[in-house]
Amino acid sequence: PRIAGRLLRRVRDFADAEGSAVITQAASARALARLEVDESGLDSLDRRFLKALIENYGGGPVGMDTLAAAIAEARDAVEDVIEPYLLQQGFIMRTPRGRVACAKAYAHLGLSAPQSPPAGPVPGDLFE
């Protein structure tokens, strides 16, 4: 809700700057494009997370500390702001060995998903 409220205020500001008192669908689309929010609701930070996971670490599994360092963000911020939406929307999954990119993440970034799924959990591994 906090993020949605912030985006709505920014869209309103863009509509005001264009001289419109009404926020139309076209004005919203233009504002969100300028804010780098795509049709799936991902912003540039979400896409950086997915690209790091896929391009730097082969889609995972990779630990949260490593991912946070790769995108130069605090672990808490990544876990509290980025990860929940990506999990809910099916872009990533959390495994005992770390985060793994799902086929939806590859498709969203225009990349080919690997033929075989990433290695599953190893007995004895703990969640991060």
Side-chain angles (χ1 to χ4, degrees):
R2 178 177 45 86
I3 294 170
R6 180 184 58 83
L7 287 173
L8 181 58
R9 285 189 296 279
R10 295 296 311 270
V11 168
R12 181 200 58 208
D13 293 344
F14 279 107
D16 269 353
E18 291 177 352
S20 175
V22 178
I23 300 174
T24 64
Q25 184 174 355
S28 296
R30 284 191 303 274
L32 292 173
R34 290 181 68 187
L35 294 168
E36 298 181 16
V37 176
D38 65 25
E39 67 282 348
S40 295
L42 303 185
D43 63 15
S44 60
L45 190 54
D46 298 321
R47 289 188 298 276
R48 273 186 25 221
F49 179 94
L50 291 177
K51 284 181 183 179
L53 176 58
I54 292 169
E55 294 174 358
N56 297 359
Y57 303 103
V62 63
M64 184 53 71
D65 287 329
T66 303
L67 278 170
I71 62 171
E73 292 291 332
R75 177 190 172 124
D76 291 343
V78 174
E79 284 184 322
D80 296 341
V81 178
I82 299 171
E83 186 182 47
Y85 185 73
L86 296 177
L87 283 166
Q88 290 168 357
Q89 298 303 309
F91 287 101
I92 64 171
M93 36 182 213
R94 196 182 314 178
T95 72
R97 295 185 62 199
R99 281 36 174 205
V100 177
C102 297
K104 187 174 181 178
Y106 286 89
H108 188 76
L109 297 176
L111 302 170
S112 297
Q115 293 299 331
S116 61
V122 173
D125 276 353
L126 300 174
F127 282 96
E128 286 187 28

